[in-house]
């Protein structure tokens, strides 16, 4: 048995749920989280991202100085991003199929921030309602 933890963009929540159902996942848990991944250190890439965000109408947030500070704090690592965390229990043989489905649903052309997938071993699982344990408890 494996536990698959997936961190994705909030806007990719629906696509991720659909991909999991299409991949045959029996059940999963999703919660809102905040965090951040690898920092972008390339000043050129930071300026490009900042320009894109400003062009997307971010000026509605307040005056230009406040908007610039907000965008910069997202890009320089001093602010956390809202994300969705999915937790899935799966049979070992199903993990590659599930990881592939999640990856296809969440890959973007942005080059950063597409999420992360962690696969960890599970020693045991118990279904509370029936008392089933092990592999029988997760499907």
């Amino acid at each position: 048995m494996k536990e698959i933890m997936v961190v994705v963009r909030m806007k990719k929540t629906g696509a991720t749920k659909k991909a999991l159902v299409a991949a045959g996942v029996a059940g999963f848990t999703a919660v809102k989280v905040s965090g951040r991944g690898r920092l972008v250190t390339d000043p050129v890439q930071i300026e490009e991202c900042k320009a894109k965000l400003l062009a997307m109408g971010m000026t509605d947030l307040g005056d230009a100085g406040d908007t610039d500070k907000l965008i910069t704090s997202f890009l320089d690592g001093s602010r956390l991003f809202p994300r969705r965390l999915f937790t899935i229990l799966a049979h070992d043989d199903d993990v590659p199929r599930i990881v592939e489905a999640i990856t296809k649903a969440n890959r973007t052309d942005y080059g950063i921030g597409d999420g992360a997938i962690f696969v960890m071993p599970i020693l045991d699982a118990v279904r509370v309602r029936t008392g089933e344990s092990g592999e029988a408890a997760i499907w």
Side-chain angles (χ1 to χ4, degrees), residues 53 58 61 64-75 79:
L53 289 171
M58 296 294 288
L61 298 174
D66 290 342
T67 301
D68 188 67
K69 285 180 188 176
L70 178 64
I71 292 171
T72 301
S73 70
F74 274 118
L75 297 173
R79 187 176 182 111

Side-chain angles (χ1 to χ4, degrees), residues 6-10 12-13 16 83-84 86 106 114-115:
V6 185
V7 180
V8 301
R9 295 173 185 265
M10 292 296 283
K12 291 292 189 171
T13 300
T16 302
R83 293 286 186 246
R84 185 73 69 173
F86 286 85
N106 286 282
D114 288 345

Side-chain angles (χ1 to χ4, degrees), residues 82-104:
R83 293 286 186 246
R84 185 73 69 173
L85 173 68
F86 286 85
T87 304
I88 304 126
L89 293 183
H91 297 290
D92 293 354
D93 296 342
D94 296 326
V95 171
R97 178 174 39 86
I98 294 168
V99 168
E100 182 180 352
I102 294 165
T103 302
K104 283 183 180 177

Side-chain angles (χ1 to χ4, degrees), residues 38-89:
R38 183 180 306 154
L39 292 176
V40 177
T41 56
D42 180 9
V44 173
Q45 193 173 15
I46 289 174
E47 287 305 316
E48 288 174 3
C49 288
K50 188 186 290 190
K52 284 181 188 177
L53 289 171
L54 286 170
M56 291 171 62
M58 296 294 288
T59 54
D60 296 342
L61 298 174
D63 68 45
D66 290 342
T67 301
D68 188 67
K69 285 180 188 176
L70 178 64
I71 292 171
T72 301
S73 70
F74 274 118
L75 297 173
D76 71 5
S78 59
R79 187 176 182 111
L80 298 176
F81 290 96
R83 293 286 186 246
R84 185 73 69 173
L85 173 68
F86 286 85
T87 304
I88 304 126
L89 293 183

